[in-house]
Amino acid sequence: MKNSMLMGLLMIILLFTTSCSRPESRLIGKWVGSTGTIEFFKNKTGLINPPKERTDLPANVQFKWRVEGSDIVTMIINAPGGRTSFGKLQDNGTLIVEEDKFVKQK
């Protein structure tokens, strides 16, 4: 009886830890790079903002995102002239988008 309860508990812990390590869950949050900030939301949408000193660029540019494989991020940008950008999730705290390194904020 104790062994089956222990096995059940271990299975629940394993299921929880594997679901938390999905690339999508690692991406959620705010990322900061030299070209601005990117914020990813759970509902697969996001916002891009330029650095504060770049008042000539649009703010709060909306996009939709998806993760392909374990590390490729596709962002479909709705801005005027819309486009698609790609990024690579290097680890839990580093995202490379168009040669800019973004660091996840805590």
Side-chain angles (χ1 to χ4, degrees), residues 26 38 42 49-50 55 64 73 85 88 97:
R26 295 184 343 212
I38 302 174
K42 289 180 183 179
N49 281 291
T55 57
K64 293 181 182 180
V73 180
S85 287
K88 182 170 177 66
V97 179

Side-chain angles (χ1 to χ4, degrees), residues 44-65:
K44 304 262 180 140
T45 64
L47 292 175
I48 299 172
N49 281 291
K52 290 182 181 10
E53 64 273 6
R54 292 296 310 265
T55 57
D56 59 316
L57 296 174
N60 294 319
V61 175
Q62 298 179 354
F63 66 93
K64 293 181 182 180
W65 63 270

Side-chain angles (χ1 to χ4, degrees), residues 28-99:
I28 305 300
K30 188 174 190 174
W31 298 75
V32 177
S34 63
T35 57
T37 62
I38 302 174
E39 195 164 1
F40 295 89
F41 304 115
K42 289 180 183 179
N43 67 354
K44 304 262 180 140
T45 64
L47 292 175
I48 299 172
N49 281 291
K52 290 182 181 10
E53 64 273 6
R54 292 296 310 265
T55 57
D56 59 316
L57 296 174
N60 294 319
V61 175
Q62 298 179 354
F63 66 93
K64 293 181 182 180
W65 63 270
R66 67 177 177 266
V67 176
E68 298 174 25
S70 63
D71 60 355
I72 302 300
V73 180
T74 302
M75 295 178 290
I76 301 138
I77 302 168
N78 302 329
R83 64 189 200 117
T84 301
S85 287
F86 298 94
K88 182 170 177 66
L89 188 59
Q90 287 191 328
D91 55 45
N92 287 340
T94 307
L95 174 68
I96 304 298
V97 179
E98 298 181 5
E99 299 181 24

